[in-house]
Amino acid sequence: MIKKSSPVPIYFQIEQRIREKIEKKELNPGEMIPSEREFAEKFQISRMTVRQAINNLVNEGYLQRVRGKGTFVTVKKFEKNTQRLTSFSEDMRSRGLEPGTEVLSFCSIEADSLIASQLMIDKGAEVYQIERLRLADQQPIAFEVFYMSQNLVPGLTREVAEHSIFKYVEEMGLHIVSGVQELEATTAHKREASALGIKVGAPVLYIQQISYLEDQQPLEFVKSYYRADRYKYKVEMIRT
Amino acid sequence: MIKKSSPVPIYFQIEQRIREKIEKKELNPGEMIPSEREFAEKFQISRMTVRQAINNLVNEGYLQRVRGKGTFVTVKKFEKNTQRLTSFSEDMRSRGLEPGTEVLSFCSIEADSLIASQLMIDKGAEVYQIERLRLADQQPIAFEVFYMSQNLVPGLTREVAEHSIFKYVEEMGLHIVSGVQELEATTAHKREASALGIKVGAPVLYIQQISYLEDQQPLEFVKSYYRADRYKYKVEMIRT
DNA sequence: AAGTGGTCTAGACCACCTC
DNA sequence: AGGTGGTCTAGACCACTTA
């Protein structure tokens, strides 16, 4: 039930309770939840405490208040208040495709001024340069060039690059918290065309990504070229 | 100051006051705002009312609370919830460019099955079909084809289309709350090429957008073709 | 009229931080 | 010790919706 003398705040216990019911579909979209006064009475707590729990759920997009009527489970929970940063593998799996990776080259180079500025490291510092071909259900979908400071993440191997670098980094205890992507349309040059199996001049979606750690330090700088015929980029937005 | 007997809630008045000070740089990023108790004392209101104002600003990303220390103006305001649904005009202005619009055609047509399904209306229903050339600092940047149900928004004119349809719709009392964009790379066909002043086959960023009203009803369906050499799409993301 | 959420009060004790 | 935010109470009146 609800523990009043718990170190866990009462409002949070209520919040969890309701959130669970929604996620387990015990409360369905569009359905009304008990009124604030009912909750207060039932758990013998103040209505303001109930309001705090409900407020949080409203902010998270689980609930909607309607004055005079009641509080309802949101029909379309747009959890995409913010776009989630995902790895290629996560992206493919969410599309129902089996991700695959082919490492085309794995080198250690000295950062030129572009890479240095993007990664906020010294020019000439050692960085990994990894070229990978990304597959979806065994079909080439993207060609990517990846840069990361060796100083920040030592011990990266070709082996790791064949699977998920994201996962490796997170297992090292580094927390990726945010990222910025820039998308442009372009046409394939020789290198991308041959890797992706398309014609030179074919349309390609170019995505440049920088991911950041907790302390705002750049972790990786990636240039990706996606086959336009096989990849669509979807963004859900809200208007504030 | 603060009007207690105003129809505008006290918490909202306080909220506005603080928001303004931040936007006018009277309060700088990282700076501490007065404590909740100080506000309560100063305006002779309850601390809980002050908290409500501050809570809202925290949720909007203006402020950060630090227990035991105080409440501070956020350093990087839009690092968190970024992806906002914006009109073309808003987008251009945020890039420091002067938006412009040229209406190439303004018709009323019957919805075909694609348009009908995107707008969730009956096939054959009357819709506006508006082709516009979008300018940034007088230079063509995008060619767009716009569809909207006439039943939902009657009275749209060529005049309005030359300015902001978004604005018109919002002034009608319809609230746009969310949108979905799909981005693809493609190459220009004749129609887009001639409108945009580029060669057939030049890279183009194709963006398809559907915007939704409060009740999840689709408001508009827009196909846009952006000149790849003049437009980059930026997405900021967080990892949860 | 009865029920709902919206706003507001005037306190209280707690945990945390700084001096 | 004194200040800060975090949590919580037990009421109150308001505006709105539904019956």
Side-chain angles (χ1 to χ4, degrees), chain A residues 4 9-11 45-49 52 67-69:
Chain A
K4 286 209 182 188
I10 298 173
Y11 76 87
I45 55 174
S46 164
R47 188 179 149 214
M48 285 302 269
T49 304
Q52 187 170 358
R67 186 197 300 225
K69 294 176 80 174

Side-chain angles (χ1 to χ4, degrees), chain B residues 104-147:
Chain B
L104 302 179
S105 76
F106 185 101
C107 338
S108 168
I109 63 165
E110 290 184 359
D112 63 20
S113 57
L114 170 69
I115 297 168
S117 74
Q118 301 285 25
L119 291 177
M120 288 181 0
I121 56 177
D122 292 332
K123 192 175 161 180
E126 293 283 305
V127 295
Y128 302 103
Q129 179 190 59
I130 305 172
E131 292 184 322
R132 300 194 288 184
L133 184 64
R134 299 300 211 147
L135 312 172
D137 283 350
Q138 279 80 51
Q139 298 291 317
I141 190 164
F143 168 70
E144 100 185 12
V145 187
F146 172 100
Y147 300 95

Side-chain angles (χ1 to χ4, degrees), chain A residues 2 9 13 25 37 43 55 63 103 111 116 124 142 170 189 233:
Chain A
I2 293 291
Q13 294 180 46
K25 310 267 180 188
R37 286 170 180 84
F43 299 121
N55 272 336
L63 299 177
V103 177
E170 289 186 332
H189 290 93
Y233 189 96

